[in-house]
Amino acid sequence: MHEVDGAFAGGDYLSAVRQLSPDSWQYWASLGLIGHPADAAGALARFTHPDAMFFSGVASWIAGDDDRARHVLGRCENAHARRLLNLIVKHPITVLAQLPWNRRGPWDILTHLKDPAFRLLNVSFHPDDIHNQLYADVRTLIPAGVQPDFYAAEMLEWHLIPPNIRTLGCPVLGHSSDFDLHIQTVAPWLELFDELVVLDHVEWRGLSGAVAVPVSVFPKVFGVPSDFPDLPEGHRDIDVFLSGTVMHPYHDDKEAIVLDVLDVPDARTLMVQGFEEPPVYYKHLSKSKLCCTFIRHAGALPTRGLEALGLGCVVAVQEESVLRLFVDDREGVVSYGPGKRLSSVIQEVLQRSDEFLAQARRGAEFIRREFALERVASQYFRFLTFLAARPRRPREDPPPERMLQKRPVVQKGWLPSSDFGKGLLMDWAARSAARIEERLEADHSVGLLNDLARERLLAHYHDDVGAGWLRDAIAPLERAMEACPDALVVRFNLVRALLHFGDPVHVRQGIGLVDTTLDASAQSWRLHPLDDVLPWDFCPSFFNYRRYFDTVTRSLASADSDIVQSLIAIILAALNHYRSRYATECPGPHSELFYAEQAVRLDPGFAEYILNYARLLVRRGLPADLSMAKEQLSELSRRSTRLIEIHDIARQLPDEAKSDWCSNLEARASRLWWSTRVRENLPHPTLRSSLA
């Protein structure tokens, strides 16, 4: 009980509601705080604990019953209640916000906020909003005479937040869903906020230990828009549907559900790699019996699950999914997990599809009512008001001049992205570079030099490799290496820039750096977890970003000295992989197979390294090589969707090594090929040749 009480006190309302008894007032308070449709306010009124009365008033406020909220909170004596009541009676509460600019889809709470309790001023690059600026002074963004009651950034990792946001003099709230994906970019900004919001208990565990500010869970941030299609009638000829990032080196954990789907050979399956326009996407859902979802943070709300169920499609979610708290299992939601494979769930649904689809129609009515974006937007901002009213002690603000608006991605993302044109991205790089260079005059920091090169490199990622920009991009890294030769991340970034963008002279320079790095002992290298290794979509097939960033995220909440050695090993694995790709062009003391084996030894889970190693083993063709290749490919085929590439290598094995395993692999690879449509295939720079 102590642990669960601690979860409630710490803001993990999702864990509290799952583990507490309905005999506890904290159980009902948690339901009210997460916007559950149960009558939490009425249930809390039956308890005598003074905090139960306060949370009864809070639950009424979040549910939209302003009169009862004012009445109950007026009877409470704690400071939080008084502050919340003072905000409620303002009507409207003025909020300066940074919400997603793209006004469509399940996250569009900006368009759908119709609650008269709020006056919303949104800052973005959308023409209808307060126009954001690079490194903006927040005081220039606010209309004259306006004092916000609080500030809120939703998906804070996707915004250019004014570095001096705390000069507003009001509570500063941030909501993050992808902090681990962008941990090296976003970590310095997290302490800027008075409180952080995440979607589920998994994110809460990851973030709460990494920051000093409070972290709270509020899962109900997405919904179905007002222009959502009508609930369809008629036959559904797609048995199983998946879409989104189906296959990507970073999202390797999603591959398990793809493989489970392929294990149902008679199912009519459609998998879309990427994102389709809403009319096409909704049409697919309207014709599907079952939609399979997977989220990196298992407890969070699956937006694709909301849309699918809203269109009468049965939805398969992870066992921990918060959707199961809102939607009854008899209303079109089925779950899978360690004790129940997705393939068995699919078979069960397809065998009784009429029954499950009837349940999904009931679920659709609930979703369209309870998760209508207008209702979601209101509850979201009412929850933020509850957080904004929390009493806080004064604290020292991070210096605005030290905040860098580092570009979070190369090409995948919301704010700002290539949708805004090359000009904005180049201006962004130039402003960041100027800010860094100004700081370098007083602080010749290796980290700043690395960041300077990073911003220049990302700005030119899609430019002609022969355009002459590489010299300016790598110069800070060369300066950093002179100042600190044992800085591994600087060395790694320089190698990657040279090998992916250089001319033959640059490439040979990069290979020389790889050789000197691999010749030294792993203990001779130095790094800090927040030394930036470039964004997750920078040539992602050559480096295990997922394992690296997950390790960095853990490091922020742990003093374990082994973490740094783990990060060093992940980088050394990548360098061995790079070297194996150049061993025939630039011979060294070791063979390409030696380097490939070292990459797999240091990072045994990364599919790209295993495929490269297996190809080389089959090419050499010794009996021991073929046996090892079969072992590596067989194990990889059980957990990776790289089935077509695995099969291409495996069919080169001698007949006696193939057996039934290869026949099964061929069948699954064929099903993957015929059931997948690629709607997104982002370009990545290839390796450049060392030959003149």
Side-chain angles (χ1 to χ4, degrees), residues 96 121-132 140-143:
L96 183 68
L121 306 173
N122 197 55
V123 177
S124 84
F125 290 89
H126 192 282
D128 294 339
D129 292 340
I130 297 174
H131 185 66
N132 201 0
T140 67
L141 301 178
I142 305 172

Side-chain angles (χ1 to χ4, degrees), residues 118-431:
F118 298 96
R119 175 195 182 195
L120 188 64
L121 306 173
N122 197 55
V123 177
S124 84
F125 290 89
H126 192 282
D128 294 339
D129 292 340
I130 297 174
H131 185 66
N132 201 0
Q133 302 168 38
L134 302 162
Y135 295 98
D137 179 347
V138 69
R139 293 165 296 191
T140 67
L141 301 178
I142 305 172
V146 172
Q147 173 57 47
D149 294 302
F150 66 87
Y151 162 89
E154 185 201 6
M155 311 296 189
L156 64 91
E157 53 272 10
W158 295 113
H159 294 278
L160 291 177
I161 297 169
N164 67 339
I165 192 70
R166 296 195 60 80
T167 62
L168 284 174
C170 65
V172 175
L173 308 177
H175 161 206
S176 174
S177 289
D178 288 319
F179 66 90
D180 53 345
L181 182 69
H182 308 290
I183 189 64
Q184 295 184 314
T185 303
V186 78
W189 291 83
L190 296 176
E191 300 292 341
L192 198 69
F193 297 91
D194 291 305
E195 187 147 355
L196 294 164
V197 180
V198 292
L199 295 176
D200 81 323
H201 62 295
V202 180
E203 290 179 302
W204 184 88
R205 286 197 300 265
L207 187 57
S208 60
V211 295
V213 299
V215 181
S216 292
V217 173
F218 187 79
K220 201 173 179 183
V221 182
F222 309 111
V224 293
S226 55
D227 60 352
F228 202 55
D230 293 336
L231 189 60
E233 303 283 351
H235 178 68
R236 294 173 178 260
D237 55 10
I238 300 171
D239 288 333
V240 183
F241 178 69
L242 290 84
S243 67
T245 307
V246 175
M247 292 168 279
H248 189 280
Y250 185 89
H251 296 283
D252 58 352
D253 47 0
K254 191 170 185 177
E255 296 183 334
I257 74 162
V258 176
L259 296 176
D260 262 5
V261 170
L262 296 176
D263 279 345
V264 187
D266 297 329
R268 290 167 294 181
T269 300
L270 174 60
M271 293 187 284
V272 178
Q273 166 65 19
F275 300 89
E276 296 180 305
E277 288 299 310
V280 177
Y281 170 57
Y282 292 150
K283 183 179 179 181
H284 287 327
L285 290 175
S286 298
K287 297 175 68 177
S288 299
K289 296 183 179 73
L290 174 67
C291 175
C292 299
T293 67
F294 178 88
I295 300 181
R296 190 168 76 256
H297 302 126
L301 195 66
T303 58
R304 294 177 179 275
L306 287 179
E307 294 163 325
L309 189 55
L311 287 168
C313 179
V314 182
V315 177
V317 300
Q318 290 139 288
E319 285 181 347
E320 296 178 78
S321 174
V322 70
L323 189 59
R324 300 182 67 205
L325 275 182
F326 286 89
V327 184
D328 190 275
D329 286 349
R330 293 165 296 179
E331 293 180 320
V333 173
V334 293
S335 63
Y336 64 92
K340 192 172 186 181
R341 285 188 61 192
L342 178 59
S343 55
S344 65
V345 172
I346 293 171
Q347 289 170 334
E348 182 182 2
V349 170
L350 297 183
Q351 288 166 5
R352 299 159 46 204
S353 61
D354 290 344
E355 176 185 343
F356 277 101
L357 287 170
Q359 294 174 356
R361 291 190 73 84
R362 294 196 297 272
E365 294 172 0
F366 175 85
I367 291 295
R368 288 165 176 266
R369 179 179 67 254
E370 189 59 34
F371 284 88
L373 263 175
E374 187 171 329
R375 177 172 177 79
V376 168
S378 172
Q379 291 181 326
Y380 180 59
F381 276 96
R382 285 168 178 259
F383 177 78
L384 294 180
T385 305
F386 159 75
L387 298 184
R390 196 192 301 276
R392 294 179 176 86
R393 295 177 180 175
R395 63 187 179 91
E396 186 175 351
D397 299 339
E401 66 275 6
R402 298 189 67 83
M403 306 304 293
L404 286 177
Q405 292 177 340
K406 292 163 66 173
R407 183 169 164 182
V409 291
V410 176
Q411 53 195 347
K412 278 182 64 66
W414 282 354
L415 296 173
S417 68
S418 55
D419 293 331
F420 296 92
K422 184 73 172 177
L424 174 61
L425 297 178
M426 295 301 293
D427 288 348
W428 186 0
R431 288 290 300 275

